[in-house]
Amino acid sequence: MRARDRVLDALSSRGCSVRGKSAQCPAHEDRSPSLSIGRRKDGNGVVLNCHAGCAPEDVVAALGLTMQDLFDEPLEKRERPQVVAQYPYVDEHGQLLLTVKRLEPGYDGQRKTFRQYAPDGKPKVSGIRRVLYRLPEVLATAKAGGTVFIVEGEKDADNLAAQGACATTSIGGAGKWNDAYTTALRGAGEVIIIRDRDDPGRRHAEQVAASVRAAGIAVRILEPAKGKDISDHLAAGLGFDDLLPYDEHQDDFEQTPEGDADAPAEPEDRLPSAFWNATPALRQIRQMAHARRASPDAVLHAVLARTAAMADPTVRVDNGIHQPSTLGWYCGLFGPPGSGKGNAENTAEELTPFPNIDLAYIDISTGQGLISAYLDLKIEPDGDGGKKKTLVQARTRGYALATEGSVLDAMAQMSAAATLNGVLCKAWMSERQGTSNAEVERRRVLPKGAYVLSMSLGVQEEPAAKLLEMGSIGLPQRLAWAHATLGPDTPKERPATTGPLSVTTRDGQDVPVTHWVAYLRNTTIPVPAEVTQELDELALDISFGRGSDSPLDTHEPLWRLKCAALLTLLHGRTSIAAEDWDRAALMWRVSTKVRDRVQAAAQRRLQAELDARRAEAVLTAVESQAAVYEVVHGVHPSVVNVAKRAYRYLTRKGGEIPARDVNRACVAKTDREKYRASGATDPLWPTALQYGCEQGWLVLLEDGALITAGSAAPE
C-alpha cells in the first residue's frame, strides 16, 4: 500500500475530515483542516505538516502509524532521533514559558532538529510569549550596565556563558530577531554580536545590530577566528581577545558612499543610499524620483508593480521547492493627503510606460467586477436560431490603481469586503477565480495561473490602520509598504529628469524594460541553490509557529521571491543572482518597518478612542446617578427588572462582562416602552445600572466599561 493511502485510511478510521490535500489533524482538537498532506521531493511517500504547530511525530503517533509508514518504499534503517539537550526559556521571574529540545540525528536525514514544547510537554506553542534565552541574567546584566553577548543558538549561548559571559539568543536562531527582544537590552553598556560565518549569520547579525542601534545601545559585531561559530572558536582553545572584528559594510548594496562617513544615520523605514547606488537602474529611479519631488521608495515599488503587470502568466519564478509562481505585485504607498502618492505613481509611469497591449485596467470596487475586467462577452449562434452569450477570458494581465485612501476604507467597511479581499488575495498568487454555479451568460471564471494582477494603492493612516487590523484576511501580508512622503535624502536642487528604464536586447537595441518584459513568454526565473535552502528554512519556521506569532509575516518567503525576480527583470536578466536576493531581503525589512509605523499609529488611535469612550461612560454614570436621586418614592418597575435581569445574566456568565453586552442582553423592549410611557426622561439602562450598583447587585469596573455580579442578590 502506498504511503498516502495508509495515511488517508488512518485519518478516515479516526473520523478526521479530508479535503483534497488537507485534513483535520488528529493530534489536536481541529475544527477546520490544518494538516497538509504533501508529496516528498524524492517522490517516495508523503510529508505531513500541521499548520497549528503539531510535530509530524505526534501526528503519526495519533494515527497509530510510524514515521516509516510515511514512505512508499522502506528506507535504510537510521539511528532514532534522541533528545541530546533541552533549553528552557523563562520569563523575568524565572517562570517556564517553553522548552526547546535539540534532537540528534534530526528527522529526514537532517544532522539536527529543534522542537518547541509548552510547559505541559505538548508541542503546541502558539500564543506563548517569546523571550530571549537566559532572560533573567540578561535583564540583570543590562540593568547593571554590563556587556551582553548575542549569538545564534542556545548551545553557543551556554558555551559562552560557561566562560563567564552573559550570553543570549532568540528562539530559532538566525533571522528570528524582533524589536521586542531589544527592549530587554536597555541599560546595557554594550551589546556584542558574535555572528556565524555564513550568509544567514551575516544577515542575522546586521538585523540585530540595526535593531539595537535604533534603541540607542552601543553595539559591535565580532566573528570567530576558527570554525563557523563561537562554539568552534572556543573548542579551538581561543578566547574573547581572539575574536575578529566584522565589517558590516562589506556588501555592495550596503556600502556607505565616499564622503558620507560623518552623515547622520539613515532611517530604518527607508531604503539606504547604498542600496540606490548599487546599480545604474536603481540610481536612475532615485534621480527621477528626486526630479519629480517624489519618494524614491514609493516610486520603486510602483515601478515593480507596473513591471509585474507586464509579465505574462507564463513568466514565473521557481524557488526550487513549490510550483513556480507568477509575479503579481501589490504595493501600499503610505502617507497623509497630498503627500505625493499620485505623484509617485505618475513618476513610475514615466520610468515604465506600458506598451500598446490589451491590459485590464481595474477599478477595485467589487470582487466580481475585478474578475470581469479580464473577460469579454462573446455572442454566437446557439444552433436553434437564437444567440448564446458567454463570458470568456480576453486578457491575461491586469493593473489596479487607487490613489485615495477612502477606497481601502470602503473595502474595510463594506458588507461584501470578504468577497473583494478574497479575490485580491487569490489574485496575488493567480489562483482560480470565479463562480461556476451561475447561469452560463453570467459565469465569471479565471483559471489558475492564467492571469496576473498587480496593484498600486495610495493609503492614508486611518484606512491603512484598519486594513492592518484585518490581518486575518491575508491582504496586508501581501502588500509592500513604502512611505509616499519625501525623505531626508531629498536634494534641495532638483536633478534632471531621465527617460524610461531600458534594457539592451540581443540585437543591440535599447527598449523600455516594460516593453521587453511584456513580450517574454514561457520563461522560468531560477534562484541559486543557497536561496532555495534559505526559503525552505524560512517556510518551515513560519509553518512551525512563527506564523501564529507574526501573522503579517506569513507571506515573507513568496514576497521576497517575487521581489528578487522583479529586480532581476528590471536589470534585464532572467536568473536571480545573490545580490538580487539580498536586495529583496533589505526591501522586506524596510517594508516591515513602514508597516510597523502604521500599526503603531493605529494603536495610538485605538487607545485614544478607548479613552474617549471611558470618559463618556464616566460622565453617563454621573448623570444617571443624579437622575436616580431625583426619585423620591420608590423606583420604576422597569428599572428594577433590568437591574435584576443584569444580575442573573452576570451570575450565569461569570467573570467580567463588557457593559454594552449586558445592556443588549438585559434591556427588553417591553421594559423600555413601559418606562417611556411613564414619562421618564432618564435613559433606562444607565438608571437601572446605577440602581443595581446601589443595591449591591452589580459592580462597575474599568470606569464603567466592564460589569460583574455583586455580593448581594436580589430577592
Side-chain angles (χ1 to χ4, degrees):
M1 179 183 292
R2 296 177 59 200
R4 180 177 178 81
D5 296 331
R6 276 195 295 270
V7 171
L8 294 178
D9 287 348
L11 287 167
S12 177
S13 66
R14 281 157 180 77
C16 298
S17 173
V18 179
R19 301 176 186 172
K21 295 183 179 180
S22 299
Q24 289 177 309
C25 176
H28 74 281
E29 186 177 349
D30 194 9
R31 296 184 178 179
S32 59
S34 63
L35 180 67
S36 295
I37 308 169
R39 190 73 178 162
R40 285 179 56 85
K41 294 179 185 178
D42 58 10
N44 182 24
V46 296
V47 177
L48 301 181
N49 179 22
C50 175
H51 297 286
C54 298
E57 302 79 35
D58 297 318
V59 176
V60 168
L63 290 173
L65 302 175
T66 67
M67 295 299 288
Q68 290 290 328
D69 291 323
L70 300 184
F71 297 90
D72 294 331
E73 300 293 336
L75 298 178
E76 295 181 6
K77 188 173 182 180
R78 292 175 176 169
E79 183 181 351
R80 182 181 179 84
Q82 300 289 334
V83 176
V84 298
Q86 299 190 45
Y87 306 109
Y89 279 77
V90 300
D91 64 14
E92 47 272 271
H93 306 296
Q95 185 69 32
L96 180 64
L97 297 173
L98 61 84
T99 299
V100 173
K101 296 183 180 181
R102 178 187 179 116
L103 297 94
E104 295 181 4
Y107 295 100
D108 294 333
Q110 295 175 323
R111 183 172 63 85
K112 59 185 177 181
T113 297
F114 293 91
R115 293 282 188 263
Q116 300 173 19
Y117 294 87
D120 60 4
K122 295 182 179 179
K124 186 174 177 61
V125 295
S126 60
I128 294 180
R129 176 189 171 198
R130 298 299 198 268
V131 298
L132 289 176
Y133 186 51
R134 308 171 70 98
L135 179 63
E137 182 181 344
V138 172
L139 293 173
T141 301
K143 184 177 181 181
T147 299
V148 178
F149 288 81
I150 298 176
V151 293
E152 278 194 28
E154 296 88 357
K155 178 182 176 181
D156 290 343
D158 286 346
N159 288 338
L160 198 55
Q163 302 296 315
C166 173
T168 187
T169 188
S170 53
I171 295 178
K176 311 305 185 297
W177 191 271
N178 62 61
D179 292 339
Y181 293 142
T182 304
T183 60
L185 305 173
R186 295 189 183 278
E190 184 181 29
V191 170
I192 296 178
I193 303 166
I194 303 179
R195 80 170 190 105
D196 280 9
R197 298 185 66 174
D198 56 16
D199 200 47
R202 171 185 62 80
R203 286 195 289 268
H204 177 67
E206 292 171 0
Q207 176 193 2
V208 177
S211 178
V212 174
R213 283 197 192 97
I217 305 170
V219 61
R220 282 189 294 156
I221 301 179
L222 303 177
E223 60 184 27
K226 293 288 185 181
K228 174 178 177 290
D229 52 34
I230 185 61
S231 293
D232 293 339
H233 177 92
L234 296 174
L238 302 176
F240 299 123
D241 295 338
D242 300 308
L243 290 167
L244 302 176
Y246 165 67
D247 180 9
E248 287 185 67
H249 308 290
Q250 60 186 351
D251 295 293
D252 290 341
F253 74 91
E254 291 184 357
Q255 287 177 353
T256 301
E258 293 183 7
D260 287 353
D262 297 326
E266 295 179 295
E268 291 185 333
D269 54 354
R270 294 183 187 270
L271 292 167
S273 297
F275 173 91
W276 296 109
N277 290 326
T279 70
L282 294 174
R283 287 195 293 271
Q284 181 180 347
I285 292 173
R286 182 174 61 172
Q287 179 179 333
M288 189 65 172
H290 286 164
R292 295 303 187 198
R293 293 309 193 201
S295 163
D297 291 34
V299 172
L300 172 60
H301 281 292
V303 162
L304 294 186
R306 295 176 65 84
T307 303
M310 289 296 96
D312 188 80
T314 62
V315 178
R316 303 186 178 190
V317 58
D318 185 5
N319 65 2
I321 304 171
H322 305 108
Q323 292 181 344
S325 170
T326 54
L327 303 182
W329 187 251
Y330 294 177
C331 62
L333 310 184
F334 171 65
S339 62
K341 298 182 287 290
N343 188 26
E345 173 63 29
N346 292 336
T347 304
E349 183 177 4
E350 290 185 82
L351 287 164
T352 48
F354 288 151
N356 186 21
I357 65 171
D358 193 2
L359 177 70
Y361 284 94
I362 298 171
D363 175 19
I364 51 171
S365 55
T366 66
Q368 293 300 319
L370 189 153
I371 298 172
S372 296
Y374 291 87
L375 309 176
D376 278 347
L377 182 64
K378 182 179 180 180
I379 303 176
E380 55 186 358
D382 60 3
D384 296 326
K387 293 183 178 180
K388 178 176 63 175
K389 299 179 180 179
T390 55
L391 288 171
V392 297
Q393 184 176 353
R395 284 160 287 279
T396 60
R397 291 167 282 196
Y399 189 64
L401 173 64
T403 57
E404 292 297 331
S406 58
V407 174
L408 281 181
D409 194 17
M411 284 173 53
Q413 296 181 17
M414 61 186 290
S415 61
T419 302
L420 176 58
N421 290 325
V423 169
L424 288 173
C425 290
K426 288 183 177 180
W428 192 69
M429 295 184 285
S430 301
E431 295 181 357
R432 184 187 183 279
Q433 301 271 20
T435 55
S436 57
N437 58 347
E439 298 176 4
V440 173
E441 62 270 20
R442 299 176 59 190
R443 190 174 298 165
R444 300 177 177 89
V445 176
L446 290 176
K448 178 180 179 180
Y451 69 101
V452 172
L453 173 66
S454 288
M455 181 167 58
S456 177
L457 300 176
V459 292
Q460 300 173 25
E461 181 177 295
E462 184 173 356
K466 290 181 178 179
L467 184 64
L468 284 167
E469 291 172 5
M470 301 165 65
S472 61
I473 65 173
L475 182 58
Q477 293 93 314
R478 293 162 169 81
L479 281 176
W481 296 85
H483 285 297
T485 53
L486 296 180
D489 65 334
T490 304
K492 292 183 180 179
E493 295 186 6
R494 288 194 313 110
T497 59
T498 72
L501 289 165
S502 64
V503 297
T504 302
T505 62
R506 292 180 178 178
D507 57 4
Q509 298 293 319
D510 287 339
V511 299
V513 66
T514 42
H515 289 59
W516 174 68
V517 171
Y519 294 101
L520 285 176
R521 294 292 187 277
N522 301 312
T523 301
T524 299
I525 303 172
V527 301
E530 58 270 21
V531 173
T532 297
Q533 179 64 28
E534 183 180 342
L535 281 168
D536 194 32
E537 294 174 356
L538 184 60
L540 284 174
D541 174 54
I542 291 173
S543 297
F544 283 134
R546 180 154 70 90
S548 60
D549 299 324
S550 305
L552 292 177
D553 291 346
T554 52
H555 284 74
E556 177 185 352
L558 185 52
W559 191 105
R560 288 171 56 183
L561 188 68
K562 287 187 173 199
C563 184
L566 290 171
L567 288 172
T568 297
L569 293 177
L570 208 62
H571 289 82
R573 294 180 276 107
T574 56
S575 181
I576 293 176
E579 56 266 26
D580 299 317
W581 180 247
D582 287 340
R583 290 177 191 131
L586 177 60
M587 291 177 67
W588 166 261
R589 293 198 296 270
V590 172
S591 174
T592 59
K593 291 294 183 183
V594 178
R595 185 194 70 197
D596 291 346
R597 296 290 173 89
V598 179
Q599 282 187 301
Q603 291 171 353
R604 290 193 297 271
R605 180 185 296 274
L606 178 60
Q607 187 60 48
E609 292 176 353
L610 289 174
D611 292 343
R613 286 200 295 268
R614 286 173 177 168
E616 184 179 357
V618 172
L619 179 61
T620 301
V622 172
E623 291 176 347
S624 65
Q625 182 180 19
V628 168
Y629 282 112
E630 290 178 2
V631 178
V632 179
H633 299 291
V635 181
H636 192 280
S638 293
V639 172
V640 179
N641 288 341
V642 172
K644 288 182 176 180
R645 197 176 295 124
Y647 172 83
R648 292 192 296 269
Y649 176 84
L650 291 166
T651 302
R652 184 173 67 254
K653 291 287 186 180
E656 302 168 359
I657 309 296
R660 62 178 181 276
D661 293 345
V662 183
N663 180 3
R664 294 169 184 163
C666 300
V667 178
K669 181 178 180 181
T670 53
D671 282 324
R672 190 182 295 113
E673 291 173 349
K674 291 177 182 178
Y675 189 67
R676 287 175 179 171
S678 69
T681 59
D682 311 307
L684 174 56
W685 167 244
T687 305
L689 180 59
Q690 184 63 37
Y691 178 79
C693 291
E694 289 182 347
Q695 303 301 313
W697 304 342
L698 311 175
V699 177
L700 287 176
L701 303 169
E702 295 270 337
D703 294 332
L706 300 174
I707 310 175
T708 188
S711 56
E715 298 178 357

